[in-house]
Amino acid sequence: MGEEAPVSVGEEVPAVPAEPIQEEVKAVATSAVPAVESGTKELPQYMHDAVARIAPEQGFTPGQFSIDFEVGSGKGDGFVGEMFRARITEGARELVVLCKIPPINEARRQQFGSMVIFEREVEAYSKLLPAMYEFQREKGVTEELDAGFFNAPKCYLSYWDGPKEEEPVNYEHAKLLMVQLGRLHAVSFAMKDQRPEVFEQFKLPDPMTRMMLEGESGAVFIGMMNMSMDRAIGLLQPEEEKLRQKLLKAKDSMFTDLKNLTNPALCEPYAILGHGDCWVNNFIYSYKNGVPTEIVLLDWQICRYVSPALDLLYFIFGCTDGEFRRKHYDEMIRLYHRSLTELLEKLGGDPTRQFPYTALLRQLRQHGKFGLLMAIFMVPMLCVDNADLPDMDAQAEKYKETKESGGLEELDNEWMQMMTKSEDKYRKRMGDVLRDLARFGYI
């Protein structure tokens, strides 16, 4: 994965400048290695891509300009970064840009912790300095007055694509999802009541349970779930024996429970078309001034006719943390139901008959174990750094080989070793899930 540093592009200079004034273009390094030539150095392809992205924004004609790089600093000039000049030319016009990237040499990057520092610099160029400038302008102190602080390079592009930890969803993002889930489910309730013949096609069986419990994929999943449940139970303290016994009982019945929890016959008359894969990687947000304003739900391959509680439990216990649930759980559930009610009424439905708030609370209690089963599967992976996650193609091939040679136990052990790489994060996140599920009466 790459990382983002600011890319500061220099100001436009004459074709043959005596002493060009250069502004910093900070390009952040990536560990991907296609390269471009610069004197005696091979430069990462992302540097060329960054400058090529800037050029049209500065008035150069796509396809008509050229980019040449040269070393911009000498040996020992910096421990944690390297500097290069990028010269953009089109005819007689020239723009010189200074590019700063983390060390190309991986050992040097690791030795000096370059990526952490570059991430901070990206934040400075993209957030902190602009905020300082804007504040001064609001107070009437502008660049022209030469009375304030505006003395940092102009940054044309800052980019960071380094490995990131999976962070729990925050309030604003969760709020948008609750509104849209409420609306999604409201349409089902309305169509189910008013257009039953059309709604028949929405009564789709759950593909997830079959995939998880049958065939070769089922054998892998069952093994993973058993290991994950044992690991979760192992988090409990000696004084939590009552909860331990509940979880041991849940382990004994979890695959039967999974089938029942996704059986629409056991939740009628409240079954609807649910999204089915309601976690953060399947949402796209749009932003205004850094605040999420809209959400789009992706990946409908597991949409199924089930209780509306499943989407809520999947998201809340898989993608939020204990602190969020302590502060906002009740608010999120009420927000979801209020959104559902408002749209259902607009569509000519009757929320008090079709899905009152008391029915929602009963559905959550009845299906609460689904939050447990999804969390023990998802949370371990969400706590592992992206770089440590397995190559799923390689895992599939290895499973095939080890199955034929009888070495599945070894593969299971490798999987568990990978999952335990972020143990401290996992203990806090999963421990809170278990205790919250018990507190809400869901297990």
Side-chain angles (χ1 to χ4, degrees):
M1 302 276 295
E3 312 92 28
E4 175 170 90
V7 175
S8 323
V9 180
E11 294 190 347
E12 190 171 345
V13 295
V16 188
E19 190 70 35
I21 299 175
Q22 295 155 349
E23 296 204 346
E24 192 174 14
V25 174
K26 296 188 171 161
V28 170
T30 197
S31 22
V33 262
V36 292
E37 293 289 338
S38 170
T40 58
K41 283 213 175 191
E42 265 200 340
L43 304 183
Q45 180 64 41
Y46 70 81
M47 271 186 63
H48 186 279
D49 293 343
V51 178
R53 175 178 166 185
I54 293 163
E57 295 173 357
Q58 301 307 309
F60 288 88
T61 307
Q64 301 299 315
F65 59 85
S66 62
I67 301 172
D68 295 305
F69 289 92
E70 60 185 61
V71 175
S73 57
K75 267 189 178 179
D77 283 356
F79 290 105
V80 297
E82 297 188 53
M83 303 286 284
F84 298 88
R85 289 186 182 88
R87 194 176 299 274
I88 308 170
T89 57
E90 180 183 350
R93 187 181 174 200
E94 183 175 275
L95 177 67
V96 176
V97 171
L98 196 59
C99 304
K100 182 177 180 182
I101 65 172
I104 295 173
N105 180 273
E106 181 63 28
R108 183 175 155 198
R109 278 198 205 184
Q110 298 297 328
Q111 183 178 4
F112 295 104
S114 298
M115 302 324 302
V116 173
I117 296 171
F118 265 77
E119 185 176 16
R120 174 63 56 83
E121 191 163 25
V122 168
E123 186 174 16
Y125 274 92
S126 61
K127 297 178 182 177
L128 307 183
L129 289 167
M132 293 172 68
Y133 298 162
E134 182 61 27
F135 175 76
Q136 292 176 95
R137 293 180 190 121
E138 288 176 0
K139 299 294 184 180
V141 179
T142 64
E143 293 90 327
E144 292 76 17
L145 293 176
D146 196 24
F149 176 78
F150 297 93
N151 293 59
K154 180 178 181 180
C155 180
Y156 287 82
L157 175 65
S158 63
Y159 175 75
W160 170 269
D161 187 22
K164 292 181 175 62
E165 296 180 350
E166 184 67 47
E167 295 295 331
V169 176
N170 66 20
Y171 177 84
E172 294 298 334
H173 292 82
K175 180 180 175 181
L176 283 176
L177 178 65
M178 290 300 104
V179 170
Q180 294 305 320
L181 278 184
R183 292 176 182 175
L184 169 66
H185 296 170
V187 178
S188 279
F189 276 114
M191 292 183 67
K192 183 178 178 180
D193 188 51
Q194 301 170 43
R195 299 287 189 274
E197 68 287 350
V198 177
F199 191 75
E200 279 300 311
Q201 64 187 315
F202 287 69
K203 295 183 178 180
L204 299 170
D206 174 43
M208 189 176 181
T209 303
R210 182 176 179 180
M211 177 185 70
M212 288 179 166
L213 301 183
E214 298 178 10
E216 289 189 5
S217 62
V220 174
F221 174 75
I222 289 171
M224 288 171 53
M225 289 291 282
N226 278 312
M227 286 191 299
S228 296
M229 181 67 89
D230 288 339
R231 184 184 178 197
I233 293 172
L235 298 175
L236 299 180
Q237 302 300 316
E239 63 270 18
E240 296 179 293
E241 184 60 26
K242 185 176 179 181
L243 178 53
R244 185 188 312 276
Q245 292 304 317
K246 287 183 178 180
L247 292 172
L248 288 170
K249 186 177 179 181
K251 182 187 175 185
D252 289 340
S253 63
M254 63 180 171
F255 301 114
T256 300
D257 287 340
L258 188 55
K259 290 182 178 179
N260 290 334
L261 291 165
T262 55
N263 183 352
L266 300 181
C267 66
E268 292 290 17
Y270 304 120
I272 48 83
L273 183 73
H275 178 272
D277 202 3
C278 210
W279 72 301
V280 65
N281 276 22
N282 289 335
F283 314 141
I284 292 180
Y285 290 92
S286 61
Y287 297 81
K288 185 174 182 180
N289 298 325
V291 177
T293 56
E294 294 184 42
I295 181 175
V296 172
L297 278 62
L298 304 176
D299 199 345
W300 293 80
Q301 62 190 17
I302 308 179
C303 62
R304 64 260 175 104
Y305 184 61
V306 289
S307 169
L310 299 193
D311 281 344
L312 294 169
L313 292 163
Y314 192 143
F315 171 75
I316 290 174
F317 290 98
C319 299
T320 70
D321 60 10
E323 182 181 2
F324 178 92
R325 291 188 293 272
R326 284 188 291 275
K327 291 180 179 178
H328 306 300
Y329 182 81
D330 290 341
E331 180 185 356
M332 291 295 112
I333 298 303
R334 290 187 179 279
L335 177 61
Y336 159 82
H337 192 263
R338 184 163 63 248
S339 176
L340 183 152
T341 296
E342 290 173 355
L343 182 54
L344 186 51
E345 287 177 341
K346 288 178 181 177
L347 295 173
D350 180 4
T352 60
R353 171 179 61 85
Q354 293 178 263
F355 198 45
Y357 189 68
T358 52
L360 169 59
L361 297 181
R362 287 196 301 270
Q363 287 293 302
L364 288 167
R365 285 193 297 271
Q366 181 179 330
H367 294 79
K369 279 186 181 178
F370 189 79
L372 170 65
L373 298 180
M374 291 300 99
I376 65 169
F377 178 62
M378 291 174 57
V379 169
M381 290 187 287
L382 291 173
C383 290
V384 175
D385 292 340
N386 288 345
D388 293 326
L389 286 171
D391 180 316
M392 299 310 291
D393 289 340
Q395 286 292 114
E397 289 296 327
K398 194 164 187 179
Y399 172 79
K400 183 179 178 181
E401 294 170 6
T402 53
K403 181 187 177 187
E404 293 169 355
S405 63
L408 288 181
E409 183 177 346
E410 179 184 349
L411 186 59
D412 287 344
N413 290 336
E414 287 183 13
W415 180 270
M416 186 54 70
Q417 288 173 10
M418 182 272 294
M419 287 300 177
T420 57
K421 287 188 177 181
S422 301
E423 186 65 18
D424 290 344
K425 192 195 311 184
Y426 169 79
R427 292 184 68 85
K428 178 69 169 68
R429 182 98 170 252
M430 192 69 220
D432 283 348
V433 167
L434 301 180
R435 295 170 186 113
D436 285 350
L437 286 163
R439 178 165 59 93
F440 294 133
Y442 294 167
I443 55 175

